[in-house]
Amino acid sequence: MESTDGTTSVQQPADAELHRRLVYGDESALAEAYGVYGGLVRAVAVRVTRSGAAAEDVAQEVFAQLWSRPYAFDARRGSLRTWLSLLAHRRAVDWVRSEARHRKDALADDLALHAIPDASPGPAEAVVDRERALRLHTALAELPRPQREVVHLAYFAGRTYRQAAVELGIPEGTAKTRLRTALRTLAETLADPPDPALERGA
């Protein structure tokens, strides 16, 4: 049973002894630590991320670090409960910042896409829109193949750049860079050219 702060009601193990067992690779020690402190770690993460799924991810990262780097905890400097709480808080804050960056990047990509003239022909300007559609198709065809693939998946197949990265077998950062570069190129290529009459001062 869990208490209000997320810890269990069972007797908490002595931190120094639990730490010693973790250092020696005792898997039962990790299970014991998770059983006692797992609820606390998730509770801390939920308060920061406001997401149960994110809290589970944070908990996995926290206990993975406890298992892979048990020497990072020093029982002489504080309790394991406090150390895990601080670690969970840092991991949760990192998750929030990462999500904020992803949302910012997605917004930037959407703004870049809106800067591209609409290629869908309308009844009032059919001739002009057909010309723009032709320019768009031409500009897309002139993109390097890696950029064209990401654009196709992101804006014609409805994928996010993360999904596009998985389908193409490339890192997310690479997919994002290719998409941004392609969007900038398309926006520049499809920008309306200046009116020659205005340039002559007519």
Side-chain angles (χ1 to χ4, degrees):
M1 182 176 66
E2 292 186 358
S3 62
T4 56
D5 67 354
T7 59
T8 62
S9 59
V10 299
Q11 180 66 37
Q12 295 185 4
D15 288 346
E17 174 61 18
L18 185 58
H19 181 244
R20 184 191 67 79
R21 291 164 57 199
L22 286 166
V23 169
Y24 280 94
D26 184 348
E27 293 184 2
S28 66
L30 179 64
E32 188 174 345
Y34 188 86
V36 174
Y37 300 114
L40 169 67
V41 169
R42 289 192 297 272
V44 171
V46 164
R47 284 198 294 269
V48 176
T49 64
R50 307 292 183 184
S51 168
E56 290 294 340
D57 290 342
V58 168
Q60 289 180 14
E61 292 178 4
V62 167
F63 285 98
Q65 180 169 339
L66 177 64
W67 175 249
S68 62
R69 299 179 57 198
Y71 46 83
F73 166 67
D74 186 351
R76 296 169 300 180
R77 299 179 62 182
S79 68
L80 183 58
R81 179 183 187 279
T82 299
W83 186 78
L84 289 173
S85 296
L86 292 173
L87 183 57
H89 186 270
R90 285 199 297 269
R91 292 282 187 173
V93 169
D94 288 342
W95 182 90
V96 171
R97 289 174 177 169
S98 176
E99 285 299 300
R101 285 195 298 270
H102 285 315
R103 287 194 295 269
K104 183 178 179 181
D105 290 342
L107 177 60
D109 290 341
D110 287 342
L111 291 175
L113 178 64
H114 291 318
I116 301 174
D118 186 3
S120 301
E125 299 178 347
V127 175
V128 174
D129 287 343
R130 279 198 299 270
E131 180 182 347
R132 286 181 176 176
L134 179 60
R135 289 170 58 196
L136 173 59
H137 292 309
T138 301
L140 284 170
E142 291 176 350
L143 288 175
R145 181 176 178 181
Q147 295 179 20
R148 190 167 63 248
E149 289 175 339
V150 176
V151 170
H152 174 78
L153 288 173
Y155 293 106
F156 295 99
R159 307 290 197 277
T160 64
Y161 75 84
R162 294 181 185 178
Q163 293 170 333
V166 172
E167 291 194 27
L168 295 173
I170 59 178
E172 289 183 7
T174 300
K176 183 163 57 176
T177 298
R178 290 179 184 178
L179 183 59
R180 285 182 171 178
T181 302
L183 291 175
R184 282 197 299 268
T185 300
L186 289 174
E188 292 171 359
T189 302
L190 299 173
D192 290 331
D195 189 334
L198 293 177
E199 289 188 338
R200 292 195 302 269

